[in-house]
Amino acid sequence: MFPSNGGRPLRDPVPGTGDPGLRAASVARAALDFSIPWYAHIWITTLEILGGFAVAGAVGVALGIAIAWSPTIARALVPFLVFVNTLPKVAVAPLFLLWLGYGLVPNMLIAALIGFFPVVINTAVGLTQIDDDLLDLGRVFGAPRWKVFLKIRLPNALPYVLSALKITATAAVVGAVVGEFVASQSGLGMVIVNAQTNLNTPVAFAALAWISIVGLALYGAVSLAARWLAPWAES
Amino acid sequence: MIVLDRVGMTYEASSGPVEALRDISLTVARGELVALVGPSGCGKSTLLRIVAGLRAPTRGRVDVADHPVRGPVAEVGMVFQAPVLLHWRRVLENVLLPAELSGRDPRRYHERATQLLRLVGLEDFAAKRPRELSGGMQQRAALCRALLLDPPLLLMDEPFGALDAMTRDEMNLELLRVWGETAVDSPRKTVLFVTHSIPEAVLLADRVVVMTPRPGRIAATFDVPLPRPRGVETRADPRFGALSVRIYETLTADGRGGPGRG
Ligand SMILES: Nc1ncnc2c1ncn2[C@@H]1O[C@H](COP(=O)(O)OP(=O)(O)OP(=O)(O)O)[C@@H](O)[C@H]1O
Ligand SMILES: [Mg+2]
């Protein structure tokens, strides 16, 4: 454990007291105080977020396709997915740690768990909410089912998937931090927990600021990618 | 080419059954251009879908090219009532879609697609996305798509509905050319053409079929005696006006039946 206030005397230990300007300044100073290994924490948390985001995206799209492909699969799968999605992730996180041990992986999985649901739903909706005429078009030209899927359904679903991924990008941030809250040796979530224990509010807020910067960066990247991948969609 | 024998169609809608077509018997010969007119909702689009094999009729029998229709009919050029373009593809890629979907090499159709776009005045829009085009331009792009593979059978659902009068006239004459009105070396296509415009029907068709309000039945069929090739001057023919009036009267007789085969 590192001393999260860098050994300096505590400033504004109780929130709500003191000059707001001074408080903002102390948060900024803490955020830029690189005797705290911010880069290492940002790196760890970012890895967890990206991993969780990737897993949520891949699993979400795959499940969405399965649901759209077969009504039987949909009937079997959707209630289970709703159940998983309604589980309070904070309560599940300790189990993940028990099963998977400390490290990046459980936090990635919590991030994925929080973020996958919108991808499933939007993928399935994008694949099935399609103008009947478009499907007739495929049939008129004798396209086999897989070709209709590839050339008509999938592009039709892409804007839906991409807007779900924007939600997932922000949800994965929450997930990774929640995982770090429960138990972790590094990452911005752990910094917050430690700072709270030490009543070091500026460092806690500085960590929050870094978390939102990472979140904003990821959201921006996904939005840019969406515009590049689906330039026809109005966003 | 097309034989419809006592075809009926009842949709099972959530609000109850909707009888769209009743007892339609119609034969369209190979190379014939037949126009279908009728009030809105009388089942014209439904009829085209049945002929294309996209919907199964609930009654009766359909043959296309001497085979009973059991699924989507091969080698049909279909123009839907809406343009139905893939809005993620550029116009040229939309026109090439039939080649792709039917497993042909789209590169081999590039030249033909460009040529068709030029024919309908869209050569400058080949690289645009459909949403950047007006409704009428989208319809013309859809027409190019239907013609790409040069199908022997064309099913067209108000293909020129969104066009201004002048462009519409041009497109009508262009359609007659594509159909093969003046061709000597190649056989004419078979065309079933839905329109709300009586003059358009008379100008284009060998026969005009008039339908009654829903459930759509055939009120009357009129042979069009006007000589070919037809052009703008065809409208000046006194028979053009006379026939148009008779079709109009049949249409407005509101399902009480027409004078029978003209
Ligand atoms: N998929 C469907 N489900 C239920 N009812 C339908 C369906 N498609 C068409 N209908 C009904 O069948 C009737 C005929 O429809 P259709 O679209 O064939 O008419 P239309 O003659 O093409 O009309 P318009 O000239 O307005 O295009 C209408 O009453 C319509 O409500
Ligand atoms: Mg219609």
Side-chain angles (χ1 to χ4, degrees):
Chain A
M1 293 288 134
F2 69 96
S4 50
N5 64 349
R8 276 178 291 278
L10 298 183
R11 206 185 291 268
D12 189 15
V14 185
T17 63
D19 176 7
L22 268 182
R23 251 185 292 152
S26 66
V27 169
R29 213 170 307 123
L32 298 173
D33 172 5
F34 289 100
S35 65
I36 302 170
W38 286 120
Y39 285 136
H41 294 304
I42 291 168
W43 175 240
I44 293 297
T45 304
T46 303
L47 276 185
E48 290 166 357
I49 294 169
L50 289 179
F53 176 76
V55 172
V59 172
V61 167
L63 290 173
I65 289 176
I67 286 170
W69 190 259
S70 141
T72 317
I73 296 181
R75 269 194 300 275
L77 215 51
V78 172
F80 174 71
L81 294 179
V82 171
F83 161 75
V84 170
N85 192 50
T86 47
L87 286 176
K89 305 303 176 295
V90 192
V92 186
L95 292 176
F96 274 58
L97 293 165
L98 270 179
W99 294 332
L100 299 164
Y102 287 83
L104 295 180
V105 176
N107 293 346
M108 275 181 195
L109 285 183
I110 293 162
L113 208 56
I114 281 194
F116 83 102
F117 197 67
V119 185
V120 180
I121 297 301
N122 269 28
T123 304
V125 167
L127 289 172
T128 46
Q129 294 264 324
I130 185 162
D131 192 355
D132 277 343
D133 279 352
L134 282 179
L135 299 178
D136 278 346
L137 186 70
R139 298 172 64 212
V140 163
F141 297 120
R145 199 178 169 200
W146 65 267
K147 221 170 205 174
V148 171
F149 188 82
L150 208 67
K151 304 225 176 234
I152 297 178
R153 280 191 195 266
L154 220 49
N156 182 72
L158 191 57
Y160 291 82
V161 177
L162 291 170
S163 54
L165 285 178
K166 289 185 198 171
I167 302 172
T168 301
T170 56
V173 175
V174 177
V177 173
V178 162
E180 291 172 353
F181 264 45
V182 172
S184 196
Q185 284 143 334
S186 50
L188 294 168
M190 188 237 36
V191 173
I192 293 178
V193 174
N194 279 356
Q196 280 171 347
T197 323
N198 302 334
L199 294 178
N200 191 338
T201 320
V203 170
F205 273 97
L208 275 179
W210 279 117
I211 288 168
S212 24
I213 287 169
V214 170
L216 275 173
L218 182 60
Y219 183 84
V222 174
S223 300
L224 272 181
R227 214 173 309 156
W228 180 70
L229 284 170
W232 66 88
E234 352 242 289
S235 47
Chain B
M1 187 71 169
I2 305 173
V3 180
L4 296 160
D5 183 23
R6 282 162 293 166
V7 165
M9 179 71 173
T10 302
Y11 285 106
E12 292 304 331
S14 49
S15 53
V18 178
E19 189 179 8
L21 293 171
R22 183 188 290 176
D23 207 22
I24 301 277
S25 293
L26 174 69
T27 302
V28 180
R30 217 172 279 272
E32 198 178 13
L33 200 166
V34 171
L36 206 57
V37 297
S40 181
C42 75
K44 304 181 294 295
S45 300
T46 302
L47 193 61
L48 284 199
R49 281 172 206 281
I50 289 174
V51 172
L54 295 172
R55 301 280 180 281
T58 43
R59 267 204 208 83
R61 191 189 143 83
V62 187
D63 286 357
V64 171
D66 305 320
H67 293 287
V69 172
R70 293 219 182 76
V73 173
E75 309 224 316
V76 176
M78 178 117 181
V79 181
F80 294 85
Q81 192 163 358
V84 202
L85 298 170
L86 305 183
H87 57 260
W88 53 88
R89 286 179 172 233
R90 297 173 193 284
V91 170
L92 181 68
E93 297 165 335
N94 264 289
V95 175
L96 287 170
L97 186 74
E100 263 178 69
L101 287 182
S102 60
R104 296 168 166 90
D105 181 2
R107 276 168 304 178
R108 285 184 31 228
Y109 288 85
H110 206 281
E111 196 177 325
R112 176 164 170 81
T114 314
Q115 197 184 329
L116 285 166
L117 284 173
R118 192 172 321 123
L119 199 75
V120 301
L122 288 180
E123 65 270 35
D124 295 337
F125 294 87
K128 295 249 188 284
R129 288 224 162 70
R131 287 210 177 123
E132 300 171 74
L133 269 58
S134 74
M137 290 158 98
Q138 293 185 19
Q139 261 187 339
R140 280 181 274 160
L143 178 67
C144 294
R145 180 180 61 195
L147 294 174
L148 183 77
L149 301 179
D150 202 19
L153 174 59
L154 279 176
L155 302 173
M156 311 175 92
D157 200 345
E158 296 183 48
F160 307 134
L163 298 185
D164 64 274
M166 252 172 54
T167 317
R168 190 168 186 153
D169 285 349
E170 272 173 42
M171 288 295 119
N172 280 337
L173 300 182
E174 210 47 71
L175 174 64
L176 287 177
R177 232 179 43 75
V178 166
W179 169 57
E181 186 172 56
T182 53
V184 277
D185 47 340
S186 57
R188 284 176 178 173
K189 296 179 187 306
T190 309
V191 182
L192 191 53
F193 184 98
V194 172
T195 177
H196 276 133
S197 158
I198 296 173
E200 186 174 68
V202 175
L203 178 69
L204 296 176
D206 295 319
R207 265 189 308 151
V208 178
V209 175
V210 181
M211 291 175 69
T212 67
R214 203 186 75 207
R217 284 148 291 152
I218 294 181
T221 304
F222 297 90
D223 286 318
V224 182
L226 300 164
R228 294 191 186 273
R230 296 179 191 164
V232 201
E233 68 291 344
T234 303
R235 296 229 171 91
D237 193 308
R239 287 171 293 181
F240 186 96
L243 184 55
S244 299
V245 170
R246 283 175 59 211
I247 294 173
Y248 181 79
E249 283 169 355
T250 310
L251 259 177
T252 48
D254 241 15
R256 276 179 276 119
R261 216 185 134 97

